[in-house]
Amino acid sequence: IQMTQSPSTLSASVGDRVTITCRASQSISTWLAWYQQKPGKAPKLVIYKASSLDSRVPSRFSGSGSGTEFTLTISSLQPDDFATYYCQQYDTYLTFGGGTKVEIK
Amino acid sequence: DVQLVQSGADVKKPGESLRISCKTSGYSFTTYWIGWVRQMPGKGLEWMGIIYPGDSDTRYSPSFQGQVTISADKSISTVYLQWSSLKASDSAMYYCVRQIGVSSHFDYWGQGTLVTVSS
């Protein structure tokens, strides 16, 4: 299953509402996770099962979608949120999207 | 606290063998799967394979089948990723991850092990 993220890079300011999209090449129900990775660090889980927020993650993050189209939304971008975000499907084997870098505008 | 602590960076020559480790703590080692993820320099994430330490059931991504071996030692709550003959293209960061099932998200990550293969 191929995962396609858009955009590949996103420039935004602190306080902006940010949305990242992930599309699957076939239906994956809600078997989708989102991860945040900062430079030189291991990724961290943000969202699982498309919309479930990991307990360690601030509530400004949210996920939605099912089937083949999914979104990760940050309601009010904070300085700590500038990072690369990856989606991952776990319906059939496990594959990742190519990543979306959220950078400072 | 759940922790996955990986072995340190390593530099090897092509053709050499290597085993890197992921020592776990803070949970029941035999009731979660541990997987490995590769990240080549400046690139994205690739899932390599997974092991269930409870019975050593091991699965591999088709892309990595036959290229690496995953094993576990229950006595020390540690999972290994092994190469018998390294190639320059194996140079990457490798992460171990905890998974609830074969097809599941990763709730905890190791800090990563950088492997450099160069003549």
Side-chain angles (χ1 to χ4, degrees), chain A residues 46-92:
Chain A
V46 178
I47 297 283
Y48 62 98
K49 210 162 183 301
S51 60
S52 296
L53 185 69
D54 184 75
S55 60
R56 299 160 288 187
V57 175
S59 59
R60 61 181 179 272
F61 288 87
S62 63
S64 65
S66 65
T68 61
E69 188 151 337
F70 302 86
T71 58
L72 173 69
T73 300
I74 308 172
S75 61
S76 177
L77 197 65
Q78 298 302 301
D80 192 49
D81 302 337
F82 291 97
T84 298
Y85 293 84
Y86 293 94
C87 63
Q88 174 215 23
Q89 69 80 21
Y90 47 99
D91 178 80
T92 306

Side-chain angles (χ1 to χ4, degrees), chain B residues 29-52:
Chain B
F29 180 64
T30 56
T31 58
Y32 285 84
W33 296 75
I34 294 290
W36 288 94
V37 174
R38 182 176 78 175
Q39 188 168 38
M40 300 180 78
K43 301 298 184 183
L45 304 166
E46 301 170 272
W47 180 78
M48 302 174 70
I50 193 171
I51 188 166
Y52 188 72

Side-chain angles (χ1 to χ4, degrees), chain B residues 9 14 24 33 36 49 65 73 75 77 87-88 91 94 104 107 109 113 117:
Chain B
T24 73
W33 296 75
W36 288 94
Q65 179 80 48
D73 185 337
S75 68
S77 301
K87 303 184 282 286
S91 295
Y94 293 88
S104 78
D107 60 354
W109 293 66
T113 296
V117 184

Side-chain angles (χ1 to χ4, degrees), chain A:
Chain A
I1 298 176
Q2 307 298 319
M3 305 301 292
T4 304
Q5 284 183 239
S6 60
S8 54
T9 305
L10 188 160
S11 297
S13 302
V14 172
D16 283 354
R17 181 181 181 86
V18 164
T19 298
I20 299 168
T21 298
C22 180
R23 287 186 174 87
S25 60
Q26 65 189 68
S27 178
I28 58 170
S29 183
T30 55
W31 302 118
L32 185 104
W34 291 95
Y35 300 91
Q36 176 195 71
Q37 185 178 33
K38 295 180 181 177
K41 299 292 187 182
K44 294 181 179 179
L45 177 66
V46 178
I47 297 283
Y48 62 98
K49 210 162 183 301
S51 60
S52 296
L53 185 69
D54 184 75
S55 60
R56 299 160 288 187
V57 175
S59 59
R60 61 181 179 272
F61 288 87
S62 63
S64 65
S66 65
T68 61
E69 188 151 337
F70 302 86
T71 58
L72 173 69
T73 300
I74 308 172
S75 61
S76 177
L77 197 65
Q78 298 302 301
D80 192 49
D81 302 337
F82 291 97
T84 298
Y85 293 84
Y86 293 94
C87 63
Q88 174 215 23
Q89 69 80 21
Y90 47 99
D91 178 80
T92 306
Y93 286 109
L94 298 94
T95 50
F96 292 89
T100 295
K101 183 177 182 180
V102 177
E103 61 180 26
I104 300 172
K105 192 172 186 178

Side-chain angles (χ1 to χ4, degrees), chain B residues 97-113:
Chain B
V97 293
R98 193 181 81 160
Q99 299 179 226
I100 294 170
V102 174
S103 289
S104 78
H105 60 279
F106 309 148
D107 60 354
Y108 287 89
W109 293 66
Q111 85 278 18
T113 296

Side-chain angles (χ1 to χ4, degrees), chain B residues 1-69:
Chain B
D1 285 7
V2 174
Q3 288 195 312
L4 281 63
V5 179
Q6 298 184 228
S7 50
D10 217 326
V11 180
K12 291 289 189 182
K13 291 181 168 29
E16 290 187 330
S17 62
L18 175 65
R19 188 177 76 168
I20 63 175
S21 65
C22 172
K23 182 168 178 57
T24 73
S25 60
Y27 72 97
S28 176
F29 180 64
T30 56
T31 58
Y32 285 84
W33 296 75
I34 294 290
W36 288 94
V37 174
R38 182 176 78 175
Q39 188 168 38
M40 300 180 78
K43 301 298 184 183
L45 304 166
E46 301 170 272
W47 180 78
M48 302 174 70
I50 193 171
I51 188 166
Y52 188 72
D55 60 5
S56 293
D57 185 3
T58 309
R59 318 282 178 91
Y60 295 94
S61 162
S63 300
F64 291 93
Q65 179 80 48
Q67 308 304 307
V68 296
T69 301

